[in-house]
């Protein structure tokens, strides 16, 4: 099927011209802009807050090869990034490099927003993680480069656990809830034994997949929402039980500032990205002065008796098709995601973008937990309209209704299914 160039990614009037696509034969526009004097890189605040030194290193590598080039950086939060990207893609001032969540890539690739790239131009491309490789591939061509993977792990305070008589991390879900019950009883109702933001759909869907459910299933070439299935409802009800029992914070929040809340010392455990614990104990975020060396990651056990399947998400880097500096943009991406960059990202608690580095993590006690947790994973439906589901925040809306008690699990799931079915098959 011919690559589709459809107007309007999220905003009316965004038209991607075929002429702007550069070389559509696979080397992907990277022949263009080799002599660019300026480069604009859009990243999320994760890079700005947690690994700015890696950004500077990539800049230095490109500036060494292109003396005098000016590199501009803009940082965005996840909730508003795509709206701003959609708006600027409708103009002639698109950034040259843009960070995308791996679940966001499909909709933009379908609409022709990104230039094709040659995987051979990027280090470790022959060993990219399957989930990330799939997220940058459309109709046999590559439209992005995996940046890093993000699994989920449990993390708790050893001192709080010890004060409740618990000396080792739980291996089973029963052990986990028993430990949390003790902690909750000891610390009182103003304390969250498990700080679990209600709108955190990555955690909630782990419960769904652990119970044998799913967000949606493909049937006869079309996708159909599955949140109202008995298995999915079972997982959602267990998630609600956790929120009701252990989460005593604001039940309308998402997970974006979880590491900051954790650093305030009013919770004993989180279930989130592997880097969040390390970031919470940073002196800048640790408001208790007690977290450094006192936090412990462990593989999250699931109610099923197996390890909880975790969302193996992550970020990709893409070059907008309207970029005038595609060749230099590709060079910057390679410098940022290459061997030294991956080493730096792993040191921050992230999973690498490739299998070679991932294998080494299991042999290191400091990284064995996230690497092991990543072995049991789930991913979003690879449906043409999935981007619209995410943009509409269908899952977050459902979970907030469940967590706040405004709707029953069954009613909220049914409503979410209807919203998903309206858009999930739409390109």
């Amino acid at each position: 099927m011919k690559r589709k160039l459809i107007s309007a990614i999220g905003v009316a009037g965004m038209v991607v011209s075929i002429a702007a696509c550069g070389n559509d034969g696979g080397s992907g526009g990277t022949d263009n802009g080799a002599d660019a004097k300026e480069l604009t890189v859009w990243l999320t605040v994760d890079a700005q807050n947690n690994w700015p030194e890696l950004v500077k290193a990539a800049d230095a590598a490109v500036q060494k090869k292109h003396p005098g080039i000016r590199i501009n950086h803009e940082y965005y939060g996840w909730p508003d990034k795509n709206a701003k990207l959609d708006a600027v893609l409708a103009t002639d001032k698109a950034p040259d490099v843009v960070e995308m969540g791996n679940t966001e890539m499909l909709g933009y690739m379908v609409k022709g927003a990104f230039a094709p790239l040659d995987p051979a131009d990027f280090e470790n491309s022959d060993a990219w993680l399957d989930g990330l490789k799939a997220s940058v591939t459309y109709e046999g061509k590559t439209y992005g480069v995996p940046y890093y993977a993000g699994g989920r792990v449990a993390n708790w305070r050893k001192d709080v656990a010890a004060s409740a008589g618990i000396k080792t991390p739980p291996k089973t879900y029963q052990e986990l809830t028993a430990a949390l019950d003790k902690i909750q009883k000891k610390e009182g109702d103003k304390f969250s034994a498990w700080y679990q933001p209600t709108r955190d759909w990555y955690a909630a869907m782990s419960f769904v997949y652990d119970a044998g459910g799913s967000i949606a299933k493909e049937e006869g070439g079309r996708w159909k929402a599955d949140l109202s299935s008995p298995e999915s409802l079972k997982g959602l009800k267990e998630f609600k039980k956790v929120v009701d029992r252990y989460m005593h914070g604001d039940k309308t929040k998402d997970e974006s500032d979880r590491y900051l809340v954790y650093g305030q010392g009013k919770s004993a455990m989180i279930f989130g990205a592997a880097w969040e614990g390390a970031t919470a104990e940073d002196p800048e975020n640790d408001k208790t002065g007690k977290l450094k060396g006192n936090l412990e990651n462990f593989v999250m056990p699931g109610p099923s008796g197996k390890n909880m399947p975790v969302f193996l998400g992550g970020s990709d880097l893409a070059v907008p098709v309207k970029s005038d500096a595609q060749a230099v943009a590709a060079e910057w991406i390679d410098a940022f995601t290459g061997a030294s960059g991956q080493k730096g990202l792993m040191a921050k608690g992230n999973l690498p973008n490739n299998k070679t580095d991932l294998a080494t993590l299991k042999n290191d006690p400091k990284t064995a937990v996230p690497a092991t947790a990543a072995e049991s994973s789930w991913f979003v439906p690879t449906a043409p309209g999935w981007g619209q589901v995410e943009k509409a925040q269908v899952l977050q809306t459902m979970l907030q209704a469940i967590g706040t008690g405004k709707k029953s699990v069954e009613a909220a799931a049914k409503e979410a299914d209807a919203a998903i079915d309206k858009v999930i098959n739409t390109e």
Side-chain angles (χ1 to χ4, degrees):
M1 181 172 63
K2 186 177 180 180
R3 179 166 164 240
K4 298 179 180 178
L5 296 168
I6 304 173
S7 65
I9 296 183
V11 292
M14 186 208 122
V15 180
V16 181
S17 70
I18 295 177
C21 291
N23 182 353
D24 203 35
S27 62
T30 53
D31 294 333
N32 300 329
D35 58 351
K37 303 301 182 184
E38 190 170 359
L39 192 71
T40 298
V41 178
W42 280 20
L43 299 172
T44 67
V45 292
D46 296 336
Q48 182 182 34
N49 295 337
N50 301 311
W51 43 87
E53 70 278 10
L54 303 184
V55 177
K56 291 180 181 179
D59 288 353
V62 170
Q63 288 168 335
K64 182 178 181 180
K65 186 174 181 180
H66 301 274
I69 191 171
R70 178 179 178 182
I71 303 178
N72 308 306
H73 293 282
E74 294 186 30
Y75 296 94
Y76 296 93
W78 285 106
D80 60 356
K81 173 183 66 70
N82 284 5
K84 293 180 179 180
L85 177 61
D86 293 344
V88 78
L89 287 179
T91 74
D92 292 324
K93 297 183 179 180
D96 303 299
V97 176
V98 61
E99 177 180 351
M100 303 293 295
N102 61 345
T103 66
E104 300 170 342
M105 285 291 295
L106 181 60
Y108 287 81
M109 292 190 295
V110 167
K111 293 174 171 66
F114 298 142
L117 302 170
D118 186 350
D121 291 339
F122 304 95
E123 201 167 1
N124 285 321
S125 60
D126 58 344
W128 283 344
L129 296 179
D130 293 340
L132 294 185
K133 182 178 180 179
S135 74
V136 299
T137 304
Y138 179 65
E139 293 188 341
K141 293 184 179 180
T142 300
Y143 292 94
V145 175
Y147 170 8
Y148 66 89
R152 262 63 179 173
V153 299
N155 179 288
W156 75 358
R157 289 181 57 174
K158 293 186 287 185
D159 59 338
V160 175
S163 70
I166 304 142
K167 298 181 180 180
T168 58
K171 300 295 185 183
T172 68
Y173 192 72
Q174 290 72 25
E175 290 178 2
L176 173 64
T177 55
L180 292 175
D181 286 343
K182 291 179 180 178
I183 292 170
Q184 193 65 68
K185 182 177 180 180
K186 183 177 186 302
E187 299 294 335
D189 291 341
K190 293 184 178 181
F191 186 87
S192 294
W194 177 349
Y195 179 74
Q196 179 51 63
T198 308
R199 292 171 65 86
D200 177 12
W201 63 278
Y202 301 107
M205 293 304 107
S206 287
F207 281 88
V208 167
Y209 282 88
D210 181 72
S214 61
I215 299 171
K217 290 184 176 181
E218 188 175 13
E219 299 175 356
R222 289 184 64 79
W223 290 84
K224 184 171 178 56
D226 188 51
L227 294 169
S228 294
S229 69
E231 295 83 3
S232 294
L233 290 175
K234 181 180 179 181
L236 288 171
K237 288 178 179 178
E238 186 61 38
F239 179 75
K240 176 174 172 54
K241 187 183 298 183
V242 166
V243 171
D244 288 347
R245 197 165 184 171
Y246 306 120
M247 167 62 175
H248 298 287
D250 182 352
K251 294 186 179 180
T252 66
K253 287 180 65 64
D254 63 18
E255 71 283 2
S256 61
D257 65 347
R258 173 169 43 209
Y259 68 95
L260 293 174
V261 176
Y262 197 30
Q264 293 170 3
K266 296 181 180 180
S267 51
M269 174 186 145
I270 58 173
F271 173 39
W275 58 264
E276 291 185 54
T279 305
E281 71 176 18
D282 185 289
E284 183 177 338
N285 301 319
D286 178 12
K287 305 306 180 184
T288 70
K290 301 177 181 179
L291 300 185
K292 187 67 175 178
N294 204 14
L295 298 182
E296 182 175 24
N297 281 338
F298 58 94
V299 178
M300 181 70 181
S304 68
K306 300 178 181 179
N307 289 344
M308 183 80 86
V310 298
F311 174 71
L312 190 59
S315 282
D316 301 320
L317 298 172
V319 178
V321 74
K322 287 190 173 184
S323 166
D324 293 326
Q326 292 180 22
V328 180
E331 291 174 11
W332 190 93
I333 292 173
D334 185 46
F336 191 52
T337 62
S340 60
Q342 292 302 307
K343 183 178 180 180
L345 288 166
M346 288 189 291
K348 296 290 185 177
N350 297 291
L351 297 178
N353 68 0
N354 65 90
K355 299 174 184 177
T356 304
D357 286 329
L358 183 67
T360 66
L361 296 184
K362 291 189 67 177
N363 298 323
D364 185 341
K366 295 181 180 179
T367 54
V369 168
T372 301
E375 292 180 325
S376 178
S377 64
W378 61 272
F379 194 62
V380 299
T382 53
W386 175 252
Q388 296 184 56
V389 176
E390 279 208 40
K391 187 173 183 178
Q393 298 194 3
V394 174
L395 297 180
Q396 293 95 320
T397 300
M398 173 190 72
L399 293 170
Q400 183 170 325
I402 290 172
T404 58
K406 290 186 176 180
K407 293 180 182 176
S408 67
V409 173
E410 290 83 357
K414 183 177 180 180
E415 186 174 293
D417 277 348
I420 290 171
D421 284 337
K422 286 181 180 179
V423 299
I424 196 167
N425 293 295
T426 303
E427 294 186 345

